[in-house]
Amino acid sequence: MQKRLARADVPVDMTWDLTDLFASPALWEAEFAALDAALAELEPFRGTLGGSAATLARCLDAVEALRVRLVRLETFAYLRNAQDGTDPEHQAAFARMNALVARLAASVAFVDAETAALPDGTVERFLADDPALAAHRVPLERLLETKPHRLGAETEGVLASLGEVLGAPYMTYNRSKMSDIQFAPFTDAHGVTHPNSINLYESTYESHADASVRRGAWASFSAGLKAYNNTWAATLATEVRKNVALARLRGHESTEHYLLQPHQVPHRLYADILRVIRTELAPHMRRYAKLRRRVLGLDRLLHCDIKAPLDPEFEPHIPYETACETILASLEIMGPEYLGLMRAALGRRWVDRADNVGKSSGAFCSSPWGVHPFISMTWANTTRNVFTLAHELGHAGHFGLAMKQQRYVNTRPSMPFIEAPSIMNEMLLARHILAGGGDVRTRRGVIMQLLGTYHHNFVTHLLEAELQHRVYALAEAGQAVTATLLNRTKGEVLEAFWGDAVTIDDGARMTWMRQPHYYMGLYPYTYSVGLVVATAMARRVAEEGTTAVQRWLAVLKAGGTLKPLELMQLAGIDMSTPAPIHEAVAYVGSLVDELEAAFPG
Ligand SMILES: [Zn+2]
């Protein structure tokens, strides 16, 4: 194995160019101090916001300007820490940044509180009277939606002051997961001993071709989790109780209604997604599991075998430049404006693809308003890498267009839409490669990549969502959330989905311990929404061509000015019925059909 490079030794063309944010760390320092001092500029607005629409507009403009500057500073610190988290200078800047973020949050907290506390009808009248407030209409309407659920100023103040305490469950979970948990080394069938960690397990062993490595790693991984089973059940139970209590305190119909409020989607959409995908997708995924068992020659498929490769010798070596060409060709249908953005991303060092000591694992796209998106990943010449790059470029295309059209406050739509533009690009890439014909192994490889995307979003995250749904119902009914209850419920969710196609063991019952999502409200189901939209949209683009592309570009440019269902409507996808969900599930079925035919028994 090659030794990982130090960051300083990485070729420059593999790195992103952070001078687009700040030409030097010294300039970042200067702006940091300047912004810190500028926070005081908000103080004169305190107690004046009900005075006139013009005053409110000036205050909101001032807050927005501070946030734009904060995001730029924050992105620089965040990206430097992501490119090399072992550098003490990066660590220190990152920690100082977090403190400044908290100071800004404290300085602007009065703005929302005061605006929401204005007498009924005031903000509406201001909006009607003064065009200076027009840019803030969407965020203000969002704020007004929370108004019926706001508590008295004193209570809101108490809750705000307890913010860090209310975040303790996630913080505790995260700390012990990052720093404390240990996994014993394990030995495979050839007598080779391997080290184990969460990163190694997820990046290597989980999809290893050798069953003895996969299963040995799983046993060690499960034993590591077991040691924290009760502790992490207690952190999760605290999180759940907190949300149940806050939902009741704020007078919501249920905890789910409370947690869905920031998503701006009806409860019905959430319920449809959970119900339709679980029941209709299960038969297709069971067929895929049975195919897997047959091809792998196993007498039973354990939960840890679900990601085993079916054609491990077939791993085409794809250089970065080739991948870029393929992705650009697959996106040509999106037209010159979109393609121009993609060429800029790839050609002007918006992407960091180096693999060096201290580089953060995983891939992400960060899009500071007024600059341009930045993408982080590590390039290892695999097919998966090509899809990941296409995915992150989808986020870059979305926010790149939105930030050109919209002011900062109107750039970002709410959560359930966020993954649609990124998964859309994966779909366009797969359709492009499959449309080119190709030999059976290439086609199989691409279909398995696509099924990987569906598995991740429609199975892994959706079954997390189902667990959340059940746990919140139990907690609302007064049941104590314990390790026993979580393990048992997770097992029931998995067994109901997989039937006899996959053997669910004790390790599988503890997989709820792997995800931080449970500490992020009702996050897990949103992945499925994105995938449903992307599946429907990729098909419409393939069938209708330019008209569908124009609709999609309009949606991307709309940024956060519309709610998720309105964005989908604008794209021509009617999510007021479950029809697009049925359509996406049927598409997965057709992929499994082709795969079954491509692996004759
Ligand atoms: Zn994404």
mmCIF file of all heavy atoms in Angstrom, residues 504-525:
data_model
loop_
_atom_site.group_PDB
_atom_site.id
_atom_site.type_symbol
_atom_site.label_atom_id
_atom_site.label_comp_id
_atom_site.label_asym_id
_atom_site.label_seq_id
_atom_site.Cartn_x
_atom_site.Cartn_y
_atom_site.Cartn_z
ATOM 1 N N ILE A 504 -31.107 -11.453 9.754
ATOM 2 C CA ILE A 504 -30.878 -10.318 10.658
ATOM 3 C C ILE A 504 -30.293 -10.831 11.969
ATOM 4 O O ILE A 504 -30.941 -11.592 12.688
ATOM 5 C CB ILE A 504 -32.213 -9.571 10.925
ATOM 6 C CG1 ILE A 504 -32.855 -9.118 9.604
ATOM 7 C CG2 ILE A 504 -31.983 -8.380 11.861
ATOM 8 C CD1 ILE A 504 -31.980 -8.266 8.716
ATOM 9 N N ASP A 505 -29.050 -10.437 12.257
ATOM 10 C CA ASP A 505 -28.406 -10.887 13.496
ATOM 11 C C ASP A 505 -28.344 -9.743 14.516
ATOM 12 O O ASP A 505 -28.840 -8.642 14.248
ATOM 13 C CB ASP A 505 -27.006 -11.452 13.203
ATOM 14 C CG ASP A 505 -26.120 -10.433 12.480
ATOM 15 O OD1 ASP A 505 -26.437 -9.226 12.517
ATOM 16 O OD2 ASP A 505 -25.112 -10.855 11.881
ATOM 17 N N ASP A 506 -27.716 -10.014 15.665
ATOM 18 C CA ASP A 506 -27.666 -8.981 16.718
ATOM 19 C C ASP A 506 -26.921 -7.726 16.257
ATOM 20 O O ASP A 506 -27.270 -6.614 16.657
ATOM 21 C CB ASP A 506 -27.009 -9.538 17.983
ATOM 22 C CG ASP A 506 -27.975 -10.428 18.763
ATOM 23 O OD1 ASP A 506 -29.198 -10.325 18.497
ATOM 24 O OD2 ASP A 506 -27.508 -11.218 19.608
ATOM 25 N N GLY A 507 -25.900 -7.917 15.420
ATOM 26 C CA GLY A 507 -25.164 -6.762 14.899
ATOM 27 C C GLY A 507 -26.098 -5.865 14.081
ATOM 28 O O GLY A 507 -26.079 -4.641 14.205
ATOM 29 N N ALA A 508 -26.917 -6.483 13.248
ATOM 30 C CA ALA A 508 -27.854 -5.712 12.415
ATOM 31 C C ALA A 508 -28.835 -4.942 13.293
ATOM 32 O O ALA A 508 -29.211 -3.813 12.975
ATOM 33 C CB ALA A 508 -28.605 -6.641 11.467
ATOM 34 N N ARG A 509 -29.219 -5.542 14.420
ATOM 35 C CA ARG A 509 -30.172 -4.876 15.329
ATOM 36 C C ARG A 509 -29.556 -3.641 15.985
ATOM 37 O O ARG A 509 -30.264 -2.781 16.475
ATOM 38 C CB ARG A 509 -30.650 -5.850 16.415
ATOM 39 C CG ARG A 509 -31.520 -6.958 15.855
ATOM 40 C CD ARG A 509 -32.110 -7.878 16.918
ATOM 41 N NE ARG A 509 -32.813 -8.954 16.237
ATOM 42 C CZ ARG A 509 -32.273 -10.134 15.924
ATOM 43 N NH1 ARG A 509 -31.042 -10.429 16.300
ATOM 44 N NH2 ARG A 509 -32.974 -11.034 15.248
ATOM 45 N N MET A 510 -28.228 -3.569 15.991
ATOM 46 C CA MET A 510 -27.560 -2.405 16.614
ATOM 47 C C MET A 510 -27.156 -1.353 15.579
ATOM 48 O O MET A 510 -26.469 -0.389 15.925
ATOM 49 C CB MET A 510 -26.313 -2.855 17.384
ATOM 50 C CG MET A 510 -26.638 -3.658 18.639
ATOM 51 S SD MET A 510 -25.162 -3.929 19.647
ATOM 52 C CE MET A 510 -24.194 -4.982 18.572
ATOM 53 N N THR A 511 -27.561 -1.522 14.317
ATOM 54 C CA THR A 511 -27.078 -0.581 13.297
ATOM 55 C C THR A 511 -27.628 0.836 13.489
ATOM 56 O O THR A 511 -27.111 1.778 12.890
ATOM 57 C CB THR A 511 -27.400 -1.076 11.864
ATOM 58 O OG1 THR A 511 -28.765 -1.505 11.827
ATOM 59 C CG2 THR A 511 -26.497 -2.200 11.449
ATOM 60 N N TRP A 512 -28.652 0.986 14.322
ATOM 61 C CA TRP A 512 -29.110 2.362 14.623
ATOM 62 C C TRP A 512 -27.988 3.170 15.273
ATOM 63 O O TRP A 512 -27.993 4.391 15.232
ATOM 64 C CB TRP A 512 -30.348 2.341 15.529
ATOM 65 C CG TRP A 512 -30.142 1.645 16.859
ATOM 66 C CD1 TRP A 512 -30.406 0.334 17.133
ATOM 67 C CD2 TRP A 512 -29.624 2.217 18.066
ATOM 68 N NE1 TRP A 512 -30.078 0.040 18.434
ATOM 69 C CE2 TRP A 512 -29.598 1.181 19.038
ATOM 70 C CE3 TRP A 512 -29.187 3.479 18.433
ATOM 71 C CZ2 TRP A 512 -29.143 1.376 20.343
ATOM 72 C CZ3 TRP A 512 -28.726 3.685 19.735
ATOM 73 C CH2 TRP A 512 -28.719 2.628 20.669
ATOM 74 N N MET A 513 -27.003 2.483 15.837
ATOM 75 C CA MET A 513 -25.916 3.187 16.527
ATOM 76 C C MET A 513 -24.945 3.854 15.560
ATOM 77 O O MET A 513 -24.130 4.685 15.956
ATOM 78 C CB MET A 513 -25.148 2.209 17.418
ATOM 79 C CG MET A 513 -26.003 1.619 18.524
ATOM 80 S SD MET A 513 -25.115 0.352 19.460
ATOM 81 C CE MET A 513 -23.854 1.359 20.259
ATOM 82 N N ARG A 514 -25.033 3.496 14.268
ATOM 83 C CA ARG A 514 -24.051 4.003 13.314
ATOM 84 C C ARG A 514 -24.333 5.425 12.845
ATOM 85 O O ARG A 514 -23.449 6.084 12.343
ATOM 86 C CB ARG A 514 -23.991 3.082 12.082
ATOM 87 C CG ARG A 514 -23.366 1.751 12.399
ATOM 88 C CD ARG A 514 -23.468 0.787 11.240
ATOM 89 N NE ARG A 514 -22.716 1.225 10.070
ATOM 90 C CZ ARG A 514 -22.512 0.448 9.011
ATOM 91 N NH1 ARG A 514 -22.998 -0.781 8.988
ATOM 92 N NH2 ARG A 514 -21.834 0.904 7.988
ATOM 93 N N GLN A 515 -25.591 5.861 12.934
ATOM 94 C CA GLN A 515 -25.969 7.102 12.261
ATOM 95 C C GLN A 515 -26.192 8.285 13.194
ATOM 96 O O GLN A 515 -26.941 8.173 14.153
ATOM 97 C CB GLN A 515 -27.260 6.877 11.464
ATOM 98 C CG GLN A 515 -27.089 5.955 10.293
ATOM 99 C CD GLN A 515 -26.150 6.522 9.235
ATOM 100 O OE1 GLN A 515 -25.814 7.710 9.269
ATOM 101 N NE2 GLN A 515 -25.714 5.666 8.329
ATOM 102 N N PRO A 516 -25.572 9.416 12.864
ATOM 103 C CA PRO A 516 -25.845 10.638 13.636
ATOM 104 C C PRO A 516 -27.204 11.247 13.272
ATOM 105 O O PRO A 516 -27.668 12.174 13.923
ATOM 106 C CB PRO A 516 -24.717 11.577 13.224
ATOM 107 C CG PRO A 516 -24.307 11.129 11.875
ATOM 108 C CD PRO A 516 -24.568 9.650 11.809
ATOM 109 N N HIS A 517 -27.842 10.728 12.207
ATOM 110 C CA HIS A 517 -29.092 11.339 11.701
ATOM 111 C C HIS A 517 -30.191 11.451 12.739
ATOM 112 O O HIS A 517 -31.037 12.334 12.649
ATOM 113 C CB HIS A 517 -29.643 10.510 10.536
ATOM 114 C CG HIS A 517 -28.733 10.499 9.364
ATOM 115 N ND1 HIS A 517 -28.700 9.486 8.444
ATOM 116 C CD2 HIS A 517 -27.795 11.392 8.978
ATOM 117 C CE1 HIS A 517 -27.791 9.751 7.533
ATOM 118 N NE2 HIS A 517 -27.229 10.888 7.837
ATOM 119 N N TYR A 518 -30.190 10.523 13.690
ATOM 120 C CA TYR A 518 -31.279 10.519 14.675
ATOM 121 C C TYR A 518 -31.244 11.755 15.565
ATOM 122 O O TYR A 518 -32.183 12.030 16.282
ATOM 123 C CB TYR A 518 -31.202 9.262 15.541
ATOM 124 C CG TYR A 518 -31.318 7.986 14.740
ATOM 125 C CD1 TYR A 518 -30.207 7.181 14.521
ATOM 126 C CD2 TYR A 518 -32.541 7.612 14.196
ATOM 127 C CE1 TYR A 518 -30.310 6.020 13.776
ATOM 128 C CE2 TYR A 518 -32.651 6.446 13.444
ATOM 129 C CZ TYR A 518 -31.522 5.656 13.236
ATOM 130 O OH TYR A 518 -31.633 4.523 12.498
ATOM 131 N N TYR A 519 -30.124 12.476 15.486
ATOM 132 C CA TYR A 519 -29.982 13.694 16.283
ATOM 133 C C TYR A 519 -30.245 14.937 15.438
ATOM 134 O O TYR A 519 -29.940 16.045 15.848
ATOM 135 C CB TYR A 519 -28.570 13.757 16.897
ATOM 136 C CG TYR A 519 -28.292 12.577 17.807
ATOM 137 C CD1 TYR A 519 -27.745 11.399 17.315
ATOM 138 C CD2 TYR A 519 -28.635 12.627 19.160
ATOM 139 C CE1 TYR A 519 -27.519 10.313 18.135
ATOM 140 C CE2 TYR A 519 -28.406 11.553 19.987
ATOM 141 C CZ TYR A 519 -27.850 10.385 19.473
ATOM 142 O OH TYR A 519 -27.633 9.315 20.286
ATOM 143 N N MET A 520 -30.759 14.734 14.245
ATOM 144 C CA MET A 520 -30.973 15.851 13.317
ATOM 145 C C MET A 520 -32.439 15.962 12.924
ATOM 146 O O MET A 520 -32.767 16.165 11.748
ATOM 147 C CB MET A 520 -30.112 15.657 12.075
ATOM 148 C CG MET A 520 -28.630 15.532 12.394
ATOM 149 S SD MET A 520 -27.691 15.035 10.941
ATOM 150 C CE MET A 520 -26.034 14.964 11.634
ATOM 151 N N GLY A 521 -33.304 15.776 13.882
ATOM 152 C CA GLY A 521 -34.736 15.847 13.580
ATOM 153 C C GLY A 521 -35.152 14.686 12.690
ATOM 154 O O GLY A 521 -34.643 13.580 12.820
ATOM 155 N N LEU A 522 -36.076 14.962 11.748
ATOM 156 C CA LEU A 522 -36.525 13.886 10.854
ATOM 157 C C LEU A 522 -35.724 13.924 9.553
ATOM 158 O O LEU A 522 -36.265 14.001 8.468
ATOM 159 C CB LEU A 522 -38.020 14.032 10.542
ATOM 160 C CG LEU A 522 -38.994 13.786 11.690
ATOM 161 C CD1 LEU A 522 -40.429 13.846 11.181
ATOM 162 C CD2 LEU A 522 -38.759 12.444 12.369
ATOM 163 N N TYR A 523 -34.417 13.872 9.675
ATOM 164 C CA TYR A 523 -33.564 14.004 8.498
ATOM 165 C C TYR A 523 -33.649 12.797 7.544
ATOM 166 O O TYR A 523 -33.725 12.965 6.329
ATOM 167 C CB TYR A 523 -32.143 14.246 8.987
ATOM 168 C CG TYR A 523 -31.099 14.510 7.949
ATOM 169 C CD1 TYR A 523 -31.394 15.216 6.784
ATOM 170 C CD2 TYR A 523 -29.792 14.085 8.126
ATOM 171 C CE1 TYR A 523 -30.421 15.468 5.839
ATOM 172 C CE2 TYR A 523 -28.821 14.337 7.192
ATOM 173 C CZ TYR A 523 -29.139 15.019 6.053
ATOM 174 O OH TYR A 523 -28.166 15.264 5.126
ATOM 175 N N PRO A 524 -33.618 11.550 8.057
ATOM 176 C CA PRO A 524 -33.415 10.411 7.167
ATOM 177 C C PRO A 524 -34.397 10.282 5.978
ATOM 178 O O PRO A 524 -33.982 9.891 4.893
ATOM 179 C CB PRO A 524 -33.548 9.205 8.106
ATOM 180 C CG PRO A 524 -33.099 9.715 9.421
ATOM 181 C CD PRO A 524 -33.612 11.129 9.474
ATOM 182 N N TYR A 525 -35.668 10.622 6.167
ATOM 183 C CA TYR A 525 -36.617 10.425 5.051
ATOM 184 C C TYR A 525 -36.349 11.378 3.889
ATOM 185 O O TYR A 525 -36.764 11.127 2.750
ATOM 186 C CB TYR A 525 -38.063 10.582 5.543
ATOM 187 C CG TYR A 525 -38.533 12.028 5.510
ATOM 188 C CD1 TYR A 525 -39.290 12.506 4.436
ATOM 189 C CD2 TYR A 525 -38.169 12.934 6.507
ATOM 190 C CE1 TYR A 525 -39.686 13.844 4.384
ATOM 191 C CE2 TYR A 525 -38.545 14.255 6.446
ATOM 192 C CZ TYR A 525 -39.299 14.704 5.395
ATOM 193 O OH TYR A 525 -39.657 16.023 5.324
#
